[in-house]
Amino acid sequence: MTLAYTPTPNGASSKIAQVMERMGAAMRFAKDEEIFFQDDDAELIYLLQSGAARTTRLLADGRRQVGGFYYAGDLVGFETGEVHRFSAEALTDCTVLVLKRRALKEFAGDDELERAIWEATRAELERAQDHLLVLGRKTACERVASFLRGVAERAPAERHALPMGRQDMADYLGLTIETVSRMLTQLQSSAVVSFESARQFRITSPQALERLAA
Amino acid sequence: MTLAYTPTPNGASSKIAQVMERMGAAMRFAKDEEIFFQDDDAELIYLLQSGAARTTRLLADGRRQVGGFYYAGDLVGFETGEVHRFSAEALTDCTVLVLKRRALKEFAGDDELERAIWEATRAELERAQDHLLVLGRKTACERVASFLRGVAERAPAERHALPMGRQDMADYLGLTIETVSRMLTQLQSSAVVSFESARQFRITSPQALERLAA
DNA sequence: CGCTGGATTGAGTCCGGTCAAGCCTTGTGG
DNA sequence: CCACAAGGCTTGACCGGACTCAATCCAGCG
């Protein structure tokens, strides 16, 4: 049972997924449970099978930066050096395949696998670079619009669910929850998106959203 | 299995440097000249031999994000996919070794080279992730302090030169030139650093700088 | 039902941006 | 060697967008 292609940012190539499925151990994490910690030795790699997760980084005084959100099919924590630079936490209950890095390395001679690892690292780098532009040069409204567009891009559905709360969005976008909330209501009142509940929306005007995401 | 430590952010492992030196073509770029353009096909990889460069990304309305600064020994533009996601420009006159990606791929069977490429990509990712925290969660003063610390970390010298202008710093830090300038004078009047000219400084109080960089 | 925690809304503040002078360095030509 | 111009940097006054603090609101759930 190979995973189908996933359009998600860090979708595991089928090759990595194959190895994980053959050799990985299944684990479950409850909502808000830590999957791994910042500064821990990075001995394991994780493949999300269901649910969603976030990576976070803390400053000494408690300020938090969310590095990214991960969904079923995504690899988490593999693109690191000896030590994790982020923590990872379950956003919802989720099931994960876990494999020792060491085990993956045993396939090191396998060109296809090597390439898949590099490509996945590169994809993660592109995510980070896109994120840089958002944090460095976009306004609050543009950030929130970019975020919603990003969520929507993951799947061509009519309605989109937000597995994360406002605080997670805020820490991802470099804003406060209040500002995120205000921008969301503003986008709604200008008929760009429409929220059916706090965690579920549909896009009313894709062009307007695209334009605002800049 | 870990590569030797290189003090530069994206320092080419000796292995990649070896291949570049054997097979690369030497080129020169004048100050402010473009090395490659955003959205161009990424056919070539570049090894800076002397001088410094920046990578930049533009928004439609002209807002600019500087992705990073590169110095002698750094690889530029190799960690990309088919197309460059940033432009690269010479910060000063510089000399560069250029090699076709294709040529590097001919060594694809070479494990050491594969590993070096991955490590270099990973190093670039770590840079980007550190940068995310700065842009997402730090104040203007902390950003400037982080930046100066970063410059200083590259070499354990008494005095440090800044090859980039205020606008480049500002676009790197997600600030305006005025704010950068103000923070620099503020850091100077609180005796954290001391500028001998606009482009040259020394650190008066390393502890204070470290604390401010947060 | 009421409780609880997340989300929204409002009022006021402040950090960093904007606009506008001025200053200082560098380089060029007389 | 000096005068001047040009560009980069600094400084000041003011403004505004995002933050802070605080009060609701609301949905989910016991």
Side-chain angles (χ1 to χ4, degrees), chain B residues 6 11 35 44 53 62 75 85 87-88 90 97 101 115 120 145 150 192 198 213:
Chain B
T6 58
I35 298 173
L44 303 170
L75 280 167
R85 303 167 58 73
S87 298
L97 279 178
R101 304 171 73 70
R115 175 156 202 85
V192 177

Side-chain angles (χ1 to χ4, degrees), chain B residues 21 73 81 99 142 149 153 162 169:
Chain B
E21 274 153 23
L99 183 64
E142 290 167 344
R149 182 183 54 168
E153 264 173 9
L162 296 173
M169 289 188 223

Side-chain angles (χ1 to χ4, degrees), chain B residues 7 19 22 31-32 52 66 69 91 98-99 121 123 125 129 132 163 168 176 181 184 210:
Chain B
V19 175
R22 186 142 49 90
K31 181 164 147 58
D32 292 325
V66 168
F69 298 107
L91 217 44
V98 183
L99 183 64
T121 305
L125 177 59
Q129 288 172 337
L132 277 185
D168 288 329
T176 60
S181 186
L184 288 174
E210 191 55 39

Side-chain angles (χ1 to χ4, degrees), chain B residues 105-209:
Chain B
K105 272 184 201 149
E106 283 169 16
F107 291 79
D110 186 329
D111 275 5
E112 195 188 343
L113 186 63
E114 287 283 355
R115 175 156 202 85
I117 291 173
W118 182 66
E119 288 288 351
T121 305
R122 206 176 54 63
E124 193 70 10
L125 177 59
E126 292 193 1
R127 268 164 67 87
Q129 288 172 337
D130 289 344
H131 201 175
L132 277 185
L133 189 61
V134 172
L135 295 184
R137 283 297 174 220
K138 291 194 184 175
T139 65
C141 184
E142 290 167 344
R143 293 183 201 200
V144 172
S146 303
F147 174 74
L148 293 180
R149 182 183 54 168
V151 169
E153 264 173 9
R154 292 194 56 257
E158 187 70 14
R159 303 150 84 225
H160 303 285
L162 296 173
M164 73 294 288
R166 298 293 188 264
Q167 187 66 59
D168 288 329
M169 289 188 223
D171 288 343
Y172 178 73
L173 297 174
L175 300 169
T176 60
I177 39 174
E178 293 95 330
T179 300
V180 169
S181 186
R182 274 185 254 271
M183 295 304 122
L184 288 174
T185 52
Q186 184 181 309
L187 286 173
Q188 189 163 215
S189 46
S190 43
V192 177
V193 295
S194 151
F195 275 80
E196 294 158 20
S197 76
R199 300 285 190 106
Q200 204 148 18
F201 70 99
R202 66 180 67 222
I203 297 173
T204 318
S205 168
Q207 307 96 298
L209 186 63

